Amino acid sequence: MNPIKRRKSIVVQVGNVSVGGDNPIVVQSMTNTDTADIDETVDQIDHLNQAGSELVRITVNNDAAAKAVPHIKEKLINRGVTVPVIGDFHYNGHLLLTKYPEMAKSLAKFRINPGNTGTKTRDENFCTIVEQAIKYDKPVRVGVNWGSLDQQLLAQKMDENNQKENPKSSKAVMLDTMVESARRSTELAEEVGLPSNKIIVSCKMSGVQDLINVYQRIAEDLPYPLHLGLTEAGMGMKGTVASSVALAVLLQKGIGDTIRVSLTPMPGADRAEEVRICQQILQSMGIRNFIPQVTACPGCGRTKSTYFQELADEIQKYIVEEMPIWREIYPGVEDLNVAVMGCVVNGPGESRHANIGISLPGTFEEPKAPVYVDGDHFKTLRGDNIGAEFRKILEDYIIDNYSKQEAVDA
């Protein structure tokens, strides 16, 4: 049983995905293609969805992108891809949504940044987007971002702060402004007529402690579902660790209804990596399972051979490759635990705790590898085909324990 008590928000329907309330925390991502390139964008949406992105956001920044959206939607439907597609609007969203009704109809949700809806006519433009959402019965994400915060509101808050006897720091005022922007914008959206069950909120920061601070505050103040993400998280290990730390703290507090890890990819790198990291964060915390987990030891002086590392890597890659198929025909397989251990110290114990585990021989140990299935010794492998034999045991276990027919009979 999940020990984390979730904050109970309003439920918002985004296409075929329910966000908030008691619904599972939703993983989402965003394309980095030129939306006007229909085929490339469709391919990436499909790829992200196959990796597990349950919502996919696309940039709609000009006429060409807006014109492409209905065709993107049509091609996705023809492929059998039903993932909700969200339009990301800045600066000219009020114009594009008014000018291209077919684009507005094709999207499952509109994302608005209140700080980027104009200058003197900011509220007017914001209201126009909200009116289009009402017209086409679409939900809206009010996405406040510290990098594009409403400068008029920030200046007002700074002036008010400067008049105080004990003024706050500039950072504190900025955080106050983030929260106030979200509050004002949602109030304005509801005043225009957008129902509360059509609003999702985010207040993204690039600093871990700032993000935690802001989300704890809006979680107390606002009833809407919250989208979590550390914006501009960066590349590689830095982006992964910072995002994981920030999201884990908030998720542990029961805050968050949908998440994204905003990694800067290497040129040509797999965009879906951020989806897999989101999944691993949720799975590591025991919130949702997405894929069988492989437990493996780090290695030490007792394991000079690299074979256990090679087998752990082989099994992990095999699971990732097969998971799109397994997900369809073996319901529940995502709960499977596999252990690939490297010596007798923790190997047998960890293997017994897993559904399937193997304890490979360490340095100077007898060249045998006991295999355990559901806590019991199943057989001992020897020779040059240990890897292939273990994989066959894994395959047979999945077939025997996770067939769709068994799930129906149960």
Side-chain angles (χ1 to χ4, degrees):
M1 181 179 292
N2 179 16
I4 300 173
K5 185 177 180 180
R6 287 267 303 280
R7 161 189 173 269
K8 189 64 67 71
S9 73
I10 295 169
V11 176
V12 175
Q13 195 67 29
V14 183
N16 56 7
V17 176
S18 299
V19 180
D22 293 322
N23 293 292
I25 295 172
V26 174
V27 172
Q28 65 175 278
S29 185
M30 183 176 184
T31 60
N32 60 357
T33 60
D34 178 357
T35 305
D37 188 328
I38 296 169
D39 289 336
E40 187 178 14
T41 302
V42 168
D43 286 345
Q44 192 172 96
I45 292 172
D46 191 0
H47 177 61
L48 290 169
N49 182 227
Q50 285 290 328
S53 186
E54 296 157 306
L55 301 173
V56 178
R57 186 157 46 111
I58 62 174
T59 297
V60 187
N61 59 333
N62 54 38
D63 292 89
K67 290 176 182 178
V69 170
H71 302 290
I72 290 168
K73 185 67 175 178
E74 182 181 10
K75 289 204 169 193
L76 288 171
I77 291 172
N78 290 339
R79 288 192 186 189
V81 180
T82 60
V83 63
V85 177
I86 300 160
D88 191 67
F89 295 100
H90 297 271
Y91 307 111
N92 59 355
H94 58 294
L95 300 174
L96 295 175
L97 284 165
T98 304
K99 186 176 179 181
Y100 297 102
E102 292 307 312
M103 175 266 290
K105 293 176 187 176
S106 299
L107 295 169
K109 184 177 73 173
F110 306 155
R111 189 270 182 163
I112 321 171
N113 183 340
N116 285 343
T117 54
T119 51
K120 295 180 180 179
T121 56
R122 178 174 286 107
D123 285 353
E124 179 182 333
N125 295 343
F126 179 88
C127 291
T128 298
I129 297 175
V130 171
E131 288 165 356
Q132 297 304 306
I134 296 168
K135 180 177 180 180
Y136 297 110
D137 194 28
K138 305 293 182 180
V140 165
R141 170 156 73 97
V142 175
V144 182
N145 190 301
W146 84 285
S148 49
L149 191 55
D150 183 337
Q151 293 303 301
Q152 292 176 347
L153 181 58
L154 180 59
Q156 175 188 328
K157 288 290 183 182
M158 287 290 187
D159 288 343
E160 291 173 358
N161 182 63
N162 290 335
Q163 302 302 315
K164 295 180 178 179
E165 184 175 344
N166 296 304
K168 299 180 180 180
S169 68
S170 296
K171 170 66 75 66
V173 175
M174 184 189 69
L175 297 180
D176 290 345
T177 306
M178 292 281 292
V179 175
E180 182 65 19
S181 177
R183 184 186 299 112
R184 286 191 183 187
S185 297
T186 53
E187 288 176 354
L188 179 57
E190 290 205 48
E191 286 173 12
V192 173
L194 189 67
S196 59
N197 67 349
K198 293 289 185 182
I199 299 173
I200 295 174
V201 173
S202 67
C203 282
K204 288 193 172 184
M205 312 287 293
S206 61
V208 170
Q209 296 295 346
D210 295 335
L211 189 84
I212 293 169
N213 180 316
V214 165
Y215 272 94
Q216 287 183 122
R217 292 171 62 181
I218 63 172
E220 294 177 356
D221 289 351
L222 301 177
Y224 317 103
L226 300 180
H227 169 63
L228 303 186
L230 190 74
T231 191
E232 291 94 36
M235 302 181 75
M237 183 177 68
K238 183 267 181 187
T240 300
V241 172
S243 294
S244 300
V245 169
L247 268 59
V249 170
L250 291 168
L251 291 169
Q252 186 67 30
K253 294 176 181 292
I255 298 170
D257 302 284
T258 171
I259 66 172
R260 181 191 173 198
V261 169
S262 302
L263 290 185
T264 304
M266 292 292 291
D270 186 357
R271 184 68 166 177
E273 183 65 15
E274 63 178 44
V275 176
R276 289 187 280 270
I277 293 170
C278 282
Q279 293 176 329
Q280 193 58 55
I281 291 170
L282 294 175
Q283 188 148 348
S284 296
M285 297 186 69
I287 295 173
R288 283 187 71 183
N289 288 344
F290 297 91
I291 190 170
Q293 296 290 278
V294 177
T295 299
C297 59
C300 65
R302 298 184 185 90
T303 55
K304 290 184 179 178
S305 168
T306 61
Y307 186 64
F308 84 95
Q309 298 164 321
E310 294 162 3
L311 182 57
D313 184 57
E314 176 188 329
I315 296 299
Q316 183 70 62
K317 288 178 178 176
Y318 170 68
I319 289 172
V320 170
E321 289 170 1
E322 295 297 320
M323 194 57 199
I325 300 172
W326 291 351
R327 189 179 293 116
E328 297 299 321
I329 61 177
Y330 301 127
V333 71
E334 64 275 6
D335 298 328
L336 178 69
N337 286 303
V338 182
V340 180
M341 304 301 291
C343 79
V344 297
V345 174
N346 293 318
E350 287 283 2
S351 296
R352 288 191 183 95
H353 287 306
N355 297 110
I356 303 176
I358 186 170
S359 182
L360 295 164
T363 307
F364 305 124
E365 291 174 20
E366 185 179 348
K368 65 180 183 179
V371 175
Y372 300 86
V373 175
D374 290 330
D376 297 322
H377 179 253
F378 178 70
K379 68 187 300 184
T380 297
L381 305 180
R382 295 179 173 85
D384 298 328
N385 295 313
I386 289 177
E389 292 179 49
F390 181 67
R391 194 167 79 173
K392 181 63 167 60
I393 294 170
L394 173 60
E395 292 171 351
D396 290 344
Y397 183 92
I398 291 171
I399 292 170
D400 292 342
N401 290 275
Y402 296 100
S403 73
K404 192 165 270 189
Q405 186 59 46
E406 281 190 7
V408 172
D409 292 342

